Amino acid sequence: MTLFGTDQPPVEGQCFAVGPWSFTLENGALRHIALHGQEAIRNIAFLVRDRDWGTLTPTLDNMQVAQTDTSLGITYDAVFQSADAKLAVRVSIDVGPDSLVMSATGDALGPFETNRAGFTVLHPIKDVAGRPVRVKHSDGSIEDSVFPDLIEPWQPFKDITALTNQVGKAELCCAFHGDTFEMEDQRQWGDASYKTYNRPLALPWPYTIADGERLSQSVELSWTPCSTTPPSRVETGVVDATFPEMALVIDAQDALRLARHPGDIAVVNPQRLLCHLDAELGDTPAQFEAFAAAQRACPDQVFDLELICLFADDPATELSSMAAQMRDAGFAPDSVLVCPSVDRQSTPPGSDWPDCPSLADIHTAASFAFPDVKRGGGMVSFFPELNRKRPPHEKLDFVSHGLCPIVHAADDVSVMETLEAIAHITRSARAIFGDKEYRIGPSTIAMRQNPYGSRTIPNPDNQRICMAHDDPRHRGTFGAAYVIGLACALAPAGLSVWTPAALYGPRGVIADDGHWPISTALKGLAECAGQKIHSTQVADGIAEAFVGNVRLNANLTSKAQQSLGPYAWSIVAANAGETT
């Protein structure tokens, strides 16, 4: 419970090595596939997604392993449940010196509804981003290209039958069979990978696999020697930035609770409170009045407003009404971020954009409705939504988006691996809006709102599940280590504000009988606000930064490292005169 906030044990994988290949078999997936000791593929898995893009957890059975000095064969059964139907899948893994093949044959037992059923392959971003790749298409044509450097909002490659790229001194070919595959740049969701998946997103979803229908797919890795060695990336841990101010998010109900217990803010002492007002909930005057009550109770706190509007009609009319309600309530935020309610839902490739006034018209109207406060835009969801619907940053004082590490995977290793993608996200964001003031909105392990489905996923059994509304690790030592890792990863981006937690609730810092371990870490990070960042790095399972006269360190793994126990962390004053 102390480490993870749950009694559910972490998944333990089984390690295999055959000739030049090594990997971990974990819950039926191949993870961290290395070729000659260098990671080549982050993950190969047969995955099934429900209508809300939640990942279904299969029941695994009949695992059999046969290994010799030069070969390995693994088979198992995986049964996925969707409503009253099942998808029964037989998976085989065959490994030899020159190839690794993972195959699957599945049969629907009843009409099986899904958004996706099939293999996904993850290419790791390290030593791959911006590097050459050869793409083979179903008509036999070859496309010589590169893995995207800046994050690509849409699919960089479609109709893929094979991908070939260099891994160390080998050329690796990854071939796909049994369906139409395409790639998405998973970095924009925080994953440290490029994902190749079956069934194009332009096709309708959810869809139904008919009762008795069979699907058959395979992924084949093969390699040949390569005489050249790719150049290494030059990374620097020195940045020219100061540590951002911290905000905690509250809604109207939280604001009323804070008004009754203003001392709660001292648990973390953030510089700011981000007030989430949602017009979809109705009674917006009462929501403004709740925030005004909190502001009166905490007069020394800076308040910001995250304003979700309906925009069913003229944006000028709705925003003028909101501004009047705010004045009548006596609420005076330092800044207002305006976001259309419909933009909280993602518009994936092949889908129609929902009816909404243009962002240019919305933010022009906001400039008249809120002339005396800082005005922001962007997305209250995540970077993919901002990347696909870019704000008119020239009309704004700042741009913001959130983060969430459990969109596609929720195991402990995957959550920490998302920190590898943070620098890619912030660099790609800066390419969109330049040196405009940059804020990171609510960014917690658990998901506060699901842009990809009708709901966040309930978690009554306190497990590790994707898109969960409540993730128990937020309440354990793991959550504190993760937030220090997030701070170290974000530091080079030159943020002005970040929001790593809520004040109350499942993503908050206040417990029923005290406060969670994450609050101690957050209080130390809040004290770093405005201090010069001397150096920062997230690598090899360790996050570290030197900010002002403070050293931040966190072990992001389950094994002891550098005098830190599993998921242990420290925030300590540096020795006098110490330099980077």
Side-chain angles (χ1 to χ4, degrees):
M1 288 290 288
T2 302
L3 281 181
F4 304 113
T6 176
D7 290 327
Q8 182 197 28
V11 175
E12 295 291 339
Q14 186 175 359
C15 297
F16 292 92
V18 180
W21 307 99
S22 62
F23 58 84
T24 301
L25 178 64
E26 185 177 297
N27 273 350
L30 302 185
R31 302 195 63 176
H32 305 111
I33 301 171
L35 178 61
H36 298 294
Q38 181 168 335
E39 186 180 20
I41 298 292
R42 177 62 53 93
N43 187 293
I44 304 177
F46 188 95
L47 297 179
V48 180
R49 310 293 292 274
D50 66 18
R51 65 179 299 113
D52 292 315
W53 291 102
T55 302
L56 299 180
T57 302
T59 299
L60 303 182
D61 199 6
N62 299 324
M63 177 80 71
Q64 295 182 347
V65 179
Q67 185 167 8
T68 70
D69 291 340
T70 58
S71 66
L72 170 68
I74 302 172
T75 58
Y76 65 88
D77 295 324
V79 179
F80 300 84
Q81 182 94 34
S82 178
D84 295 327
K86 294 181 180 179
L87 184 66
V89 183
R90 181 67 170 171
V91 177
S92 63
I93 302 161
D94 297 289
V95 188
D98 301 322
S99 67
L100 183 157
V101 182
M102 189 170 184
S103 306
T105 301
D107 295 292
L109 308 175
F112 189 89
E113 183 186 63
T114 180
N115 279 358
R116 177 179 296 156
F119 278 114
T120 64
V121 175
L122 308 184
H123 281 77
I125 58 178
K126 185 179 180 181
D127 299 324
V128 170
R131 297 288 174 78
V133 60
R134 187 179 310 122
V135 185
K136 185 177 181 180
H137 301 289
S138 60
D139 62 0
S141 63
I142 301 295
E143 176 186 358
D144 287 315
S145 187
V146 296
F147 287 98
D149 185 20
L150 295 176
I151 295 175
E152 179 64 35
W154 310 106
Q155 301 99 318
F157 307 116
K158 297 181 180 181
D159 184 26
I160 302 168
T161 59
L163 296 165
T164 302
N165 68 291
Q166 190 170 345
V167 178
K169 291 188 176 182
E171 191 170 71
L172 177 74
C173 177
C174 179
F176 305 87
H177 307 281
D179 205 337
T180 301
F181 287 79
E182 61 187 22
M183 179 187 288
E184 63 189 13
D185 193 337
Q186 274 208 139
R187 294 177 298 170
Q188 61 184 343
W189 288 277
D191 302 78
S193 59
Y194 302 92
K195 179 171 74 177
T196 306
Y197 56 92
N198 75 304
R199 188 172 169 91
L201 282 173
L203 295 177
W205 48 267
Y207 64 99
T208 299
I209 303 173
D211 182 22
E213 183 177 348
R214 168 167 286 191
L215 59 84
S216 182
Q217 298 176 18
S218 65
V219 176
E220 180 180 1
L221 304 181
S222 59
W223 69 277
T224 55
C226 181
S227 59
T228 61
T229 301
S232 300
R233 286 187 177 272
V234 177
E235 304 287 352
T236 176
V238 180
V239 297
D240 183 18
T242 57
F243 202 80
E245 293 186 338
M246 181 185 295
L248 299 180
V249 64
I250 59 174
D251 62 17
Q253 289 300 113
D254 297 333
L256 293 175
R257 180 176 173 180
L258 177 61
R260 296 191 299 270
H261 306 284
D264 286 351
I265 201 70
V267 169
V268 170
N269 276 336
Q271 286 73 38
R272 315 176 82 94
L273 287 171
L274 178 61
C275 301
H276 173 76
L277 189 149
D278 186 355
E280 290 277 359
L281 299 178
D283 201 359
T284 51
Q287 294 186 62
F288 278 120
E289 288 166 6
F291 296 132
Q295 193 170 45
R296 288 192 295 271
C298 303
D300 297 328
Q301 198 73 40
V302 177
F303 284 72
D304 300 300
L305 176 63
E306 182 182 76
L307 181 59
I308 311 300
C309 292
L310 302 176
F311 294 132
D313 298 308
D314 176 36
T317 301
E318 182 171 354
L319 288 169
S320 295
S321 174
M322 290 287 189
Q325 293 173 29
M326 189 175 78
R327 289 192 298 270
D328 291 345
F331 180 51
D334 183 71
S335 69
V336 177
L337 184 150
V338 176
C339 183
S341 181
V342 296
D343 282 350
R344 290 184 289 182
Q345 292 302 116
S346 177
T347 301
S351 301
D352 295 328
W353 289 92
D355 290 336
C356 183
S358 73
L359 292 180
D361 289 346
I362 287 170
H363 291 295
T364 296
S367 69
F368 289 102
F370 303 100
D372 301 322
V373 297
K374 277 190 171 183
R375 288 176 295 99
M379 291 291 170
V380 299
S381 53
F382 311 126
F383 182 72
E385 289 68 57
L386 182 145
N387 201 18
R388 291 172 174 174
K389 189 174 182 181
R390 301 183 177 189
H393 59 85
E394 68 280 356
K395 296 178 178 290
L396 303 171
D397 296 309
F398 66 90
V399 178
S400 179
H401 64 82
L403 301 165
C404 179
I406 58 169
V407 174
H408 291 120
D411 61 275
D412 300 332
V413 172
S414 293
V415 168
M416 292 303 189
E417 283 179 344
T418 64
L419 298 175
E420 298 175 26
I422 296 298
H424 295 254
I425 291 174
T426 56
R427 184 167 57 88
S428 298
R430 284 292 188 196
I432 294 172
F433 53 79
D435 60 0
K436 185 73 65 175
E437 183 183 338
Y438 187 6
R439 300 185 183 186
I440 290 292
S443 301
T444 54
I445 298 176
M447 183 180 277
R448 68 165 179 161
Q449 183 263 333
N450 184 2
Y452 316 111
S454 60
R455 58 171 188 163
T456 52
I457 307 303
N459 192 11
D461 297 324
N462 237 20
Q463 297 181 331
R464 298 163 172 85
I465 57 176
C466 293
M467 301 185 186
H469 180 77
D470 180 352
D471 192 298
R473 290 167 293 187
H474 177 84
R475 299 184 287 276
T477 305
F478 182 100
Y482 169 79
V483 82
I484 291 174
L486 180 61
C488 293
L490 287 170
L495 304 175
S496 60
V497 181
W498 70 313
T499 307
L503 180 57
Y504 301 115
R507 295 170 297 283
V509 298
I510 302 291
D512 291 338
D513 56 353
H515 51 86
W516 303 117
I518 194 173
S519 65
T520 305
L522 289 175
K523 189 168 187 176
L525 292 169
E527 292 172 355
C528 292
Q531 300 297 308
K532 178 175 174 55
I533 301 168
H534 304 292
S535 64
T536 181
Q537 179 175 267
V538 180
D540 302 321
I542 293 288
E544 53 191 354
F546 184 15
V547 181
N549 68 337
V550 171
R551 288 280 185 187
L552 313 177
N553 289 278
N555 180 1
L556 309 178
T557 76
S558 60
K559 301 183 184 300
Q561 292 195 95
Q562 296 184 9
S563 76
L564 292 172
Y567 304 111
W569 56 274
S570 66
I571 302 178
V572 298
N575 296 327
E578 183 179 350
T579 60
T580 57

